[in-house]
Amino acid sequence: MTMGAIARRITRVITAVVCVAVSVGVSVATLHVPTREGGGERFNPARYRSDVIVTMFQANWKSVARECGEVLGPEGVGYVQVSPPQESIQGTQWWTSYQPVSYKLDSKEGTEAEFKNMVRQCKAAGVGVIADTVVNHTTGVDKTQGTGTAGSPYDNKGDFPEAGYTPSDFHAPCSIWTYRDAESVWNCQVSGLQDLDTSSPHVRDVLSDYFVKLLDYGVAGFRVDAVKHMLPEDVLAIKKLVAKKSGRSMNDIWWTQEVIGDNAEAAEIQPRNYLKTGQVNEFQYAYRLKSLFSNSLAGGSLSIKDIPQNITDSGKASVFVTNWDTERNNMTLTYKDGDAYRLANAFMLAYPYGTPNVFSGYEFHDTDSGASGATAASVPDIDCSKDSGWSCTERWPDVHGMVGWHNVAGDAPLSDWQDDGDNMIAFGRGGRAFIAINNSVRTRTVTYHTALPAGEYCDVYASADCSGSVHVRFDGDATLTVPAGSAVAFHIAATPYTVRQ
């Protein structure tokens, strides 16, 4: 073949790829077109960064800062969610972080200076920090008095001098007698925790100052705990006050809320009532993932293709495979479920629904287990070495690969759905990405149709170095061998050339 013929062939291949990109709505100005013939840039996941959140549960601020620079930033994660940064009661148990004593930023995870430095370092790495916030309550009534992680005193009568609370800032003590009565849920103590009167102007003022302080330090947004235990009007009023004090619009403050939906409970406390304030954590999505990956993905009464059916709209949903609560109450898949857990995370990152949140925690042996090596007032640096007890999910090769897959897929629509009526499914995201998931107990070799241009692609689920590859033929078909309990995933930006160069 002459050099002129080679040049014409290269031109035809690149033109075909660009035409496909335009047809699926990809901006040619930002799409790094893969080519086996050369001229393409090395694939850099950080250049495709989008909305993926990684929750680094109970990680201290030094560890989060390090992970932002070394892992989260380079792999294209958009945000890291951190544990509540306010002063809390002392104790090795994880839930002590969810019992505020004051709003000083001196917690088990670090000092105020360390928190500020973490936010700064993460932002420099392109990663925003989302702070978990606890505003419905303070400490439990079971402890008469004590001092918090920063030395602030508190008692079980409503006296919190460093927070500025007195007994008049709390609802009268009572226990939630039923979740079918909204007033009981809103005005009584959940799990014996002193319940703040969030309708009080003083309480709203204190809480909004806390949010504004975090925003001023550069925090990108908030996860708000126990939201269904507050009136929707109170939550909205607090956010409006935060917006007013910070000089921001409501829409510029990212805000997701823990509202556990249950149709057996009062209508007034369902997730739909809190959508004016922000997103909601869609627990039903996680519950469904467990049921589907534990049984059949496509053969039951609900196919995984239709997983968003009758739950929160995608734009208002924050989704996860597990979190620190659900992994301990056996409601969701966890690291103990092995392959199914990994596949569920891959599906979440691939399927176009909600804002995905990948959980990174540690091994636990009972519902109270704190991080390995935690003391009553501190948490050690995370350790990602083997047998350390920390999961470091953000470092798993399959998660690394699927974060990039998610980001390259972008807003491309679901396409080319194919399944065997049971535990083998495959689908694409327009002409940008494709995944096949094998939730069965035997290896499967299947030919699937894709919308990707012909060429060689890296299997990003298998590895980060393109040691596994996929060939897409000129008709768009690809024959994939998918091991049991595994997946094959590839996208337009990761080819042997763009990854190995």
Side-chain angles (χ1 to χ4, degrees):
M1 185 179 289
T2 66
M3 292 301 295
I6 293 173
R8 287 192 295 275
R9 179 169 177 260
I10 292 172
T11 299
R12 286 195 298 272
V13 170
I14 294 177
T15 301
V17 171
V18 171
C19 288
V20 171
V22 172
S23 73
V24 296
V26 180
S27 169
V28 178
T30 59
L31 176 66
H32 306 292
V33 180
T35 171
R36 290 171 293 158
E37 283 80 358
E41 297 179 14
R42 178 176 175 81
F43 173 51
N44 177 7
R47 297 188 65 179
Y48 294 85
R49 191 182 319 281
S50 65
D51 62 343
V52 176
I53 303 167
V54 169
T55 290
M56 293 189 62
F57 181 62
Q58 293 284 280
N60 68 28
W61 309 148
K62 290 180 180 179
S63 296
V64 175
R66 185 190 71 216
E67 288 295 281
C68 279
E70 295 180 1
V71 180
L72 302 178
E75 75 181 11
V77 169
Y79 303 92
V80 60
Q81 181 176 309
V82 300
S83 291
Q86 88 294 317
E87 180 184 14
S88 69
I89 66 170
Q90 297 188 48
T92 60
Q93 305 93 330
W94 67 268
W95 44 259
T96 58
S97 295
Y98 289 82
Q99 296 193 26
V101 171
S102 79
Y103 302 106
K104 294 179 179 179
L105 298 181
D106 287 299
S107 65
K108 289 197 298 184
E109 287 73 28
T111 66
E112 183 165 348
E114 289 168 343
F115 181 84
K116 291 171 66 176
N117 184 59
M118 172 196 67
V119 173
R120 184 167 56 251
Q121 289 194 45
C122 287
K123 184 178 289 188
V127 182
V129 172
I130 295 172
D132 199 352
T133 54
V134 186
V135 299
N136 169 71
H137 56 262
T138 57
T139 66
V141 295
D142 57 324
K143 189 165 185 177
T144 305
Q145 59 184 8
T147 56
T149 50
S152 300
Y154 66 92
D155 65 24
N156 64 354
K157 304 296 184 184
D159 290 307
F160 294 82
E162 293 300 324
Y165 295 143
T166 64
S168 64
D169 293 313
F170 294 84
H171 288 129
C174 59
S175 297
I176 298 173
W177 67 278
T178 176
Y179 277 77
R180 294 187 180 91
D181 179 61
E183 293 296 327
S184 178
V185 176
W186 290 331
N187 299 323
C188 292
Q189 296 171 346
V190 55
S191 301
L193 299 167
Q194 297 179 75
D195 196 66
L196 284 165
D197 179 5
T198 48
S199 70
S200 158
H202 177 250
V203 171
R204 291 178 179 179
D205 195 47
V206 171
L207 295 175
S208 59
D209 282 347
Y210 173 51
F211 282 111
V212 171
K213 181 178 183 178
L214 293 173
L215 287 172
D216 287 346
Y217 282 175
V219 164
F222 306 101
R223 182 259 185 190
V224 188
D225 185 68
V227 165
K228 78 175 183 182
H229 293 278
M230 297 178 279
L231 273 78
E233 294 82 0
D234 290 354
V235 183
L236 185 61
I238 291 168
K239 187 178 181 184
K240 285 181 176 179
L241 196 54
V242 173
K244 180 179 179 181
K245 288 183 177 182
S246 66
R248 294 169 169 83
S249 73
M250 290 271 287
N251 291 335
D252 289 337
I253 302 172
W254 195 86
W255 188 283
T256 193
Q257 304 158 103
E258 184 199 26
V259 186
I260 304 173
D262 186 336
N263 289 332
E265 297 178 356
E268 298 94 329
I269 63 173
Q270 299 301 324
R272 61 181 176 271
N273 298 294
Y274 296 87
L275 297 180
K276 289 182 180 179
T277 314
Q279 289 189 344
V280 293
N281 294 145
E282 184 46 88
F283 283 76
Q284 293 300 323
Y285 179 87
Y287 300 160
R288 290 177 179 182
L289 282 179
K290 178 173 182 177
S291 176
L292 289 160
F293 276 95
S294 299
N295 296 287
S296 175
L297 298 181
S301 58
L302 176 72
S303 168
I304 198 168
K305 181 182 180 181
D306 303 316
I307 192 170
Q309 184 176 298
N310 299 323
I311 55 177
T312 306
D313 288 345
S314 179
K316 286 290 190 178
S318 177
V319 296
F320 52 90
V321 176
T322 196
N323 74 9
W324 54 96
D325 278 320
T326 64
E327 70 173 355
R328 288 169 167 79
N329 64 20
N330 203 36
M331 293 295 290
T332 57
L333 295 166
T334 76
Y335 70 90
K336 298 179 182 181
D337 291 296
D339 291 339
Y341 181 63
R342 290 176 179 269
L343 289 177
N345 274 291
F347 177 85
M348 176 183 69
L349 289 166
Y351 189 90
Y353 174 75
T355 301
N357 192 321
V358 177
F359 182 71
S360 185
Y362 52 83
E363 293 179 4
F364 62 92
H365 307 289
D366 58 57
T367 56
D368 293 333
S369 292
S372 177
T375 70
S378 67
V379 177
D381 294 350
I382 65 171
D383 177 2
C384 292
S385 63
K386 185 179 179 182
D387 301 324
S388 69
W390 291 92
S391 66
C392 298
T393 315
E394 69 278 6
R395 295 185 176 219
W396 295 357
D398 46 301
V399 170
H400 171 90
M402 289 308 301
V403 169
W405 194 105
H406 172 90
N407 293 345
V408 171
D411 59 359
L414 181 70
S415 64
D416 300 299
W417 184 277
Q418 296 146 87
D419 65 61
D420 68 349
D422 193 10
N423 271 313
M424 191 78 195
I425 65 169
F427 59 91
R429 298 287 298 280
R432 301 184 198 175
F434 193 86
I435 186 171
I437 294 175
N438 182 3
N439 190 48
S440 76
V441 296
R442 62 186 179 91
T443 297
R444 300 287 300 275
T445 298
V446 184
T447 297
Y448 290 113
H449 182 71
T450 83
L452 272 70
E456 296 290 327
Y457 298 93
C458 301
D459 177 3
V460 298
Y461 186 88
S463 70
D465 61 4
C466 205
S467 56
S469 62
V470 174
H471 176 71
V472 176
R473 298 190 288 273
F474 277 95
D475 61 0
D477 286 355
T479 300
L480 309 178
T481 296
V482 191
S486 190
V488 172
F490 49 102
H491 58 75
I492 199 169
T495 71
Y497 179 82
T498 61
V499 169
R500 293 174 181 164
Q501 66 171 301

